[in-house]
Amino acid sequence: FSIAASNHLSRYDIGLTLSADRDVQVVGNVVRVAGSTDNDQVQLSVDSEIRLLVNGQQHSFRRDTPWRFELFGGGGQDTFTFHGSTGDDVATLRSGQFDATGTGYEVIAHDYQSIVATAGDGGQDVARLYDSSGNDELTCAPEACTLTGQGFANRAAGFDQVYVHASQGMDDVARFFGSTGNDEFIGRPDYSSMRGEGFYHKAAGFD
């Protein structure tokens, strides 16, 4: 994961209340992003340095300050991309919504039609995905689990554990793919799981 270089760079420390980007507000340790009516592209990386890219406008935040990010997509077909930290990260993906917590940060994101979350290097990272009220399709391979449905596509990549819950739709489908190593698959009426080197995926409630 990388954030492309930008000619517009803002750096923040705690206590600032101004931003060079009218769509980004920083008040204390809270960062708010308001989406436009266009197709917005928002990327957030919380590794050694916290970096936020909003439609080509890059912002950098000190890692020794605890930050809370509140991100709103607005209109259009919006995409949010997240890259985790070197510590333990916990991410939750729902239709149009994303939440994550880890050492020194908290993220909430709403109204994004495409969400891609990638675990950082190190730590024990956990992702939970939830279905929509429609008919959804889950695909889990060793490197990632992707859940898609009407109006949304959520992907969790590189997490040590991924748990997927289906409780709303009437015809949800789950597919598992193994690695080239020795994997263990369990299929039961209420859940299925796949375990291999470096990953554990579990899907519950699928038809």
Side-chain angles (χ1 to χ4, degrees):
F1 175 84
S2 63
I3 289 184
S6 171
N7 292 328
H8 307 290
L9 175 64
S10 301
R11 292 188 178 274
Y12 298 101
D13 198 350
I14 192 167
L16 295 183
T17 58
L18 297 176
S19 169
D21 187 341
R22 62 181 178 83
D23 296 327
V24 178
Q25 293 184 339
V26 182
V27 180
N29 67 332
V30 178
V31 182
R32 297 187 178 96
V33 175
S36 69
T37 57
D38 296 326
N39 301 331
D40 296 317
Q41 302 282 331
V42 178
Q43 300 176 41
L44 176 64
S45 174
V46 293
D47 48 18
S48 58
E49 182 181 30
I50 298 180
R51 294 164 294 162
L52 175 68
L53 187 67
V54 181
N55 296 328
Q57 176 79 46
Q58 182 170 304
H59 308 263
S60 179
F61 302 85
R62 289 185 52 156
R63 196 64 180 88
D64 57 358
T65 297
W67 294 97
R68 175 180 170 87
F69 293 87
E70 301 175 355
L71 315 171
F72 301 92
Q77 295 295 310
D78 303 319
T79 299
F80 174 64
T81 304
F82 171 83
H83 190 276
S85 71
T86 57
D88 299 339
D89 300 314
V90 178
T92 302
L93 295 82
R94 294 181 169 87
S95 174
Q97 301 180 30
F98 175 83
D99 301 275
T101 57
T103 303
Y105 78 90
E106 180 181 4
V107 181
I108 61 169
H110 292 272
D111 297 326
Y112 289 90
Q113 287 67 47
S114 176
I115 300 173
V116 178
T118 302
D121 297 328
Q124 289 295 311
D125 303 316
V126 178
R128 298 184 183 276
L129 285 71
Y130 292 86
D131 70 331
S132 71
S133 58
N135 299 327
D136 303 322
E137 180 174 331
L138 171 69
T139 301
C140 280
E143 67 276 6
C145 286
T146 302
L147 183 64
T148 60
Q150 182 65 37
F152 80 98
N154 292 341
R155 177 180 174 88
F159 285 82
D160 301 286
Q161 301 174 43
V162 179
Y163 300 91
V164 189
H165 308 270
S167 61
Q168 302 184 68
M170 298 296 293
D171 191 17
D172 297 322
V173 177
R175 297 182 177 89
F176 286 84
F177 296 88
S179 71
T180 57
N182 298 323
D183 303 322
E184 179 186 35
F185 176 77
I186 297 176
R188 296 182 178 176
D190 53 342
Y191 77 89
S192 296
S193 66
M194 177 80 79
R195 183 190 303 273
E197 182 66 30
F199 73 93
Y200 175 74
H201 300 155
K202 180 178 180 179
F206 283 80
D207 302 299

